[in-house]
Amino acid sequence: MSNNNDPRAWAMSLPSPYPTHGQQAMLTGDRFDFDANQVYRMPADSWEAIKDDPAKVAELVQKYITDHYRLQVPRIITLERYYNGDNDIHYWASHKAPNRADNRIASGLPRYITNIRVGYQFGNPIKFGYDNSDVDDAQEAVITDLLKDFNAENSEQYHEMVMGTNLVTTGRAYELMYVRKDSNSVAVRPVDPANAFIVYDTTIDMHSLFAVRYYLVRFDHKPVFYVDVYTDSKIYHYRSDMNPNGNLSIDGPAEDHYFGKVPMTEYSLADNRMGAWESKLDTIDAYDKSLSEMANSEEDFNNSILVISGDIEDEYKETVTDAEGNQLYDDNGNPLVRVRKIDPTKNMMFLKPRIIDNPGSSPTIVPTDAKYLTKELNASDWQTYVDQLMKDMHKDTNTPDMSDENFSGQATGAAMSYKLWGSDQEIATQEALYTKGLMRRLSLLGNYWDHIKLLPGADVMESFKPTFTLNLPKNDAEIITNLKSLKDTGAISDETIQDKAADVTGVPKEQEQSRMADQKQADQKVAQSMGFDALTDSQKKAGGLDDESDDKPGTGTGADNDTTTAGRRK
């Protein structure tokens, strides 16, 4: 996830305009605007009428950017702040006295949930299997090699993990397809959801009409917003000084991109485009508040108020004695005494009872006492409250609690699957939606590669089928046992077995097949060599071979043109 470098947009993610520390109200009201997560749509014929006119496109796009920047960006950056550990507790107005502890502890729950989800779904590379009976083996090799090279050049697995992080955090993710400068090499990059949006038509299929990417660049102490607009055939470049709400000016000529449709793709976590833990922001805030107040209580306890009942002596008298310890007296026969001040740094005090004279009766003596004034802290109730918040957090987000003692490394595969059952239900939906985005990526690649004559047709890319492998703890012994059982049935091909065995060996199927072919050839040479050495001299001569012959054993021709193997004549 990229960090937004626009301070104004960051400030807009907090309720008060341009807030400072301690201005934000705590757990009050709706967080985001009603339109903070809307999907932009417009009639296709209205777009078709202006899409070839850069000036009219700029006028339309400016309206969408203003809406997106004002209503949608605050929500997106708020969620990104939470992922980065900058929770709203840092800005709450606590109204505490200046001499009271005011800790602001932000939990890492959003990052924990996001990273668990992303690692679980994208920790293993996505496999792109190809199946098209209309394409011969030579063409299939060309097509699959093109995709392999594309994935390698673009660090595809890391790209998916960045997309997954954006997706789980904000509920949406964007990727941009483009051609590297002065080449035919296609690249794909994730785009921060705070800097991009797509406008769709009004049909039920929601076809992309155009996409917008706008971003701030600070150069020579001057902020400039750059805006790129992507249609189904062109890229328009604009700029706006100071803020994106200003008028857009054309910044260079339009470019053709040859992808056949809008080259930016939006991925959604769910139909509502909400982040995985967005609905639990109140719980996260309550957890942060609980931890912070606990820290405040501990700190305030150390700075408790000392309450003293009785009179304090700030000095005391000490008798004066000689070297032998005998009391000394003055000239009038009074005992000599020495008055000493009490040093407050000695961590001690002298208290004396207060005596109240009562005329006609004995005096009242008020006993002395000194103690700290503290509030009672019920640690067990506090722990119960925090544990309940955490339990609700894991349950409502379907995120496994890795600190749970029942979630041990000794759990069986069945037990592990049961604990992850809730997560798997959401992952199934996410995979279906993510696959939809992947197929659009492949379609864009097919359109461009077909344009530059690298494919027999753009539609051949539709034969790729992405497959996800969830990143679970592995039991290698159990996997090998299961693979052996499958092979023994005779109903599973060696190629499929090798594909699944890669999870244990770490060797891809294609590389394993190459290694087996090399090993088979080496074994044949060894067997032939051993068979030749076992022949008697007469057998070697009968076969037309001698010890110095360079001919391969078993291929010599004798009078009968027989073939000999391992010392036997057939």
Side-chain angles (χ1 to χ4, degrees), residues 394-405:
H394 287 289
K395 175 177 66 69
D396 294 341
T397 61
N398 277 318
T399 303
D401 183 2
M402 304 307 295
S403 64
D404 183 359
E405 60 183 10

Side-chain angles (χ1 to χ4, degrees), residues 49-73:
I50 67 168
K51 75 173 188 177
D52 295 324
D53 186 337
K56 292 183 178 180
V57 169
E59 183 179 349
L60 174 67
V61 167
Q62 181 58 61
K63 296 177 182 178
Y64 279 109
I65 291 178
T66 299
D67 184 274
H68 186 266
Y69 192 73
R70 183 173 62 89
L71 301 180
Q72 300 215 22
V73 167

Side-chain angles (χ1 to χ4, degrees), residues 296-349:
N296 291 338
S297 297
E298 290 292 328
E299 188 171 331
D300 286 339
F301 179 83
N302 293 331
N303 299 321
S304 300
I305 299 174
L306 177 63
V307 179
I308 300 174
S309 300
D311 294 333
I312 300 177
E313 288 281 10
D314 61 355
E315 63 182 25
Y316 65 95
K317 295 178 180 180
E318 184 180 73
T319 59
V320 179
T321 60
D322 58 16
E324 287 76 22
N326 299 317
Q327 174 70 58
L328 298 179
Y329 299 88
D330 60 16
D331 296 340
N332 296 324
N334 298 317
L336 290 175
V337 295
R338 182 183 295 113
V339 178
R340 293 187 179 274
K341 289 288 184 180
I342 297 176
D343 185 358
T345 63
K346 298 296 185 181
N347 293 328
M348 62 180 177
M349 63 180 63

Side-chain angles (χ1 to χ4, degrees), residues 176-381:
L176 177 64
M177 196 84 75
Y178 63 97
V179 179
R180 293 184 175 92
K181 188 175 181 179
D182 299 327
S183 74
N184 285 327
S185 175
V186 183
V188 63
R189 290 290 183 272
V191 181
D192 189 341
N195 299 129
F197 59 87
I198 296 176
V199 179
Y200 301 91
D201 65 16
T202 56
T203 66
I204 194 170
D205 292 325
M206 290 181 60
H207 298 292
S208 304
L209 296 179
F210 63 93
V212 177
R213 173 179 175 246
Y214 66 102
Y215 52 97
L216 173 66
V217 174
R218 295 178 179 274
F219 176 71
D220 197 20
H221 305 291
K222 295 179 181 179
V224 177
F225 277 90
Y226 291 92
V227 179
D228 296 327
V229 180
Y230 301 87
T231 74
D232 57 357
S233 60
K234 294 185 178 297
I235 307 173
Y236 295 117
H237 302 286
Y238 304 95
R239 61 182 290 169
S240 174
D241 295 334
M242 301 304 295
N243 64 74
N245 298 325
N247 293 327
L248 298 182
S249 59
I250 296 176
D251 187 34
E255 301 177 57
D256 296 321
H257 58 65
Y258 305 111
F259 284 105
K261 46 190 171 183
V262 177
M264 184 183 291
T265 303
E266 177 179 348
Y267 293 72
S268 298
L269 187 69
D271 288 341
N272 59 12
R273 302 201 305 175
M274 287 185 64
W277 39 264
E278 182 176 351
S279 63
K280 300 298 294 180
L281 283 173
D282 286 348
T283 303
I284 296 171
D285 287 342
Y287 184 74
D288 292 348
K289 181 182 178 182
S290 179
L291 293 181
S292 299
E293 289 299 338
M294 184 63 181
N296 291 338
S297 297
E298 290 292 328
E299 188 171 331
D300 286 339
F301 179 83
N302 293 331
N303 299 321
S304 300
I305 299 174
L306 177 63
V307 179
I308 300 174
S309 300
D311 294 333
I312 300 177
E313 288 281 10
D314 61 355
E315 63 182 25
Y316 65 95
K317 295 178 180 180
E318 184 180 73
T319 59
V320 179
T321 60
D322 58 16
E324 287 76 22
N326 299 317
Q327 174 70 58
L328 298 179
Y329 299 88
D330 60 16
D331 296 340
N332 296 324
N334 298 317
L336 290 175
V337 295
R338 182 183 295 113
V339 178
R340 293 187 179 274
K341 289 288 184 180
I342 297 176
D343 185 358
T345 63
K346 298 296 185 181
N347 293 328
M348 62 180 177
M349 63 180 63
F350 287 85
L351 304 179
K352 66 178 181 180
R354 170 168 293 186
I355 301 175
I356 302 175
D357 292 330
N358 296 317
S361 64
S362 60
T364 300
I365 301 176
V366 179
T368 61
D369 188 23
K371 60 184 178 182
Y372 285 100
L373 180 63
T374 62
K375 62 180 180 180
E376 294 293 330
L377 177 64
N378 193 326
S380 61
D381 288 349

